[in-house]
Amino acid sequence: MTKRIVAYTRLKPIHLDQLRQRFHVDYFEALKSTDDPGFRQALGQAHGLVGSSLVIAPELIDLAPQLEAIATISVGYDNYPVEALTRRGILLCNTPDVLTETTADTGFLLIMATARRAIELADLVKRGDWTASIGEPHFGTDVHGKTLGMVGFGRIGAGVARRGALGFGMRVLYACSSPKPALEQELGAVRCELDELLSQADFVCVTVPLTAETTHLIGRREFGLMKPSAIFVNIARGKVVDEAALIAALETGEIHAAGLDVFEQEPLSPESPLPHMANVVALPHVGSATHETRDAMAQRAVDNITLALEGKRPLSLVNEVAWRGETP
């Protein structure tokens, strides 16, 4: 019997062809909602899912009695009910590693662009308002030699810190659930409690995954601990930050500026004040958005789902216990 895959995101022909060589593929190229009747009907025969962005709620899993594995084209997996999947022995695969360096590039881009006011000043030139030498009202702040505080110190966090320490001579502090001795030796990084990091860092960069514990990890109290000159950068997930508290901290000058690639609601509402603030650089969740990296992520997802449905261990697993058959 040929197993069936439901692909609910745009894939290049090369990746679709790889799947079609082994499986029957129900392809939803531009699925905008999981309420789509065709998508829901296809779930009834699906052995595997491949996609990204849309929330796969537990009730959708109930529509797929034959489901064996899901391959998300992302490193984050907060769109999936991990516990429900694990209980049913369904494998959840993601795409770490292949996007680490690109996302770290984005993090440091936000640090640089925000510190040197790059977007604001580029807009000044575009408007034709550059009529004299730039003076103090348009000065930025140095990045080199400053203190970089990493909230989360996994692959991406380490990538950002590596750029700061080795490229810009930055002192690195990190708050993380476990010590990272190898990175401490490589980068001179110092582990400390979150409150201490927030009070000392010139740049605070968040790279933690979104979990129940990290939801609104950074809020009013935490912004109050930061220096008035601090620049805040978020390349993790929007809901890690209390956005209302961030807006208030920016409006009152409690912190200096922010560089943001993620938001509590995406796409960001036009009514949000964030993209209209001169001291904010806002990007449309492009952390991994390069041709090379998105291709590599799609290939990893194809490889993951193929291995899983052929009874082999996928390259990247979120719920390892499901692979070992240790379901709750």
Side-chain angles (χ1 to χ4, degrees):
M1 178 190 70
T2 301
K3 292 187 176 181
R4 302 179 73 101
I5 288 175
V6 174
Y8 59 93
T9 194
R10 184 173 289 108
L11 294 172
K12 286 190 172 181
I14 187 173
H15 299 126
L16 263 179
D17 289 345
Q18 289 176 37
L19 291 174
R20 285 170 171 160
Q21 287 172 14
R22 292 177 169 84
F23 312 106
H24 176 93
V25 180
D26 293 306
Y27 183 38
F28 298 84
E29 181 177 3
L31 188 70
K32 295 182 179 179
S33 170
T34 56
D35 291 331
D36 182 274
F39 172 72
R40 286 177 166 255
Q41 183 176 2
L43 289 177
Q45 296 180 296
H47 298 90
L49 302 182
V50 177
S52 63
S53 300
L54 295 179
V55 175
I56 303 299
E59 56 101 3
L60 289 173
I61 304 303
D62 292 338
L63 298 178
Q66 301 182 77
L67 192 62
E68 300 175 22
I70 300 175
T72 179
I73 308 176
S74 64
V75 64
Y77 46 86
D78 46 285
N79 282 345
Y80 302 89
V82 179
E83 291 185 6
L85 293 172
T86 303
R87 280 196 302 271
R88 278 188 46 186
I90 298 168
L91 304 181
L92 178 60
C93 317
N94 64 343
T95 63
D97 304 322
V98 295
L99 54 68
T100 297
E101 297 304 328
T102 300
T103 308
D105 282 350
T106 303
F108 215 82
L109 163 69
L110 285 169
I111 288 172
M112 290 295 297
T114 309
R116 297 304 302 269
R117 302 170 66 177
I119 307 302
E120 178 188 358
L121 296 179
D123 284 344
L124 179 146
V125 176
K126 286 181 182 179
R127 293 193 306 269
D129 291 341
W130 183 25
T131 58
S133 296
I134 290 298
E136 190 169 344
H138 292 107
F139 286 177
T141 185
D142 282 336
V143 174
H144 64 272
K146 296 293 183 69
T147 297
L148 172 62
M150 298 303 309
V151 182
F153 212 39
R155 297 179 183 90
I156 294 170
V160 175
R162 195 170 283 115
R163 285 156 176 74
L166 304 182
F168 287 77
M170 300 181 83
R171 174 189 177 219
V172 175
L173 305 177
Y174 74 98
C176 186
S177 58
S178 59
K180 307 286 184 178
L183 290 171
E184 290 177 7
Q185 183 173 3
E186 177 190 0
L187 306 177
V190 176
R191 185 182 181 216
C192 60
E193 294 298 321
L194 178 60
D195 285 5
E196 182 182 356
L197 180 151
L198 296 174
S199 66
Q200 292 191 31
D202 300 300
F203 297 86
V204 175
C205 183
V206 179
T207 62
V208 295
L210 178 62
T211 65
E213 291 73 25
T214 62
T215 298
H216 283 191
L217 176 68
I218 307 296
R220 181 177 178 180
R221 188 187 76 85
E222 287 72 28
F223 287 118
L225 293 173
M226 296 182 198
K227 300 177 180 180
S229 59
I231 290 176
F232 177 76
V233 171
N234 188 10
I235 56 171
R237 285 290 188 267
K239 291 181 181 179
V240 170
V241 178
D242 181 341
E243 207 161 275
L246 170 60
I247 291 168
L250 289 164
E251 288 178 336
T252 62
E254 196 165 31
I255 64 172
H256 179 62
L260 309 169
D261 188 41
V262 290
F263 304 89
E264 285 200 274
Q265 297 295 326
E266 296 181 1
L268 185 64
S269 168
E271 297 178 1
S272 170
L274 287 169
H276 307 291
M277 293 179 172
N279 58 343
V280 172
V281 175
L283 298 179
H285 203 154
V286 295
S288 62
T290 66
H291 293 292
E292 300 91 338
T293 295
R294 288 295 174 88
D295 282 352
M297 292 168 67
Q299 186 63 59
R300 173 64 67 90
V302 167
D303 292 342
N304 277 335
I305 202 70
T306 299
L307 289 167
L309 296 187
E310 291 180 347
K312 302 170 186 174
R313 190 190 186 286
L315 300 171
S316 312
L317 260 177
V318 173
N319 54 349
E320 181 75 30
V321 294
W323 169 253
R324 297 197 302 263
E326 300 172 5
T327 54

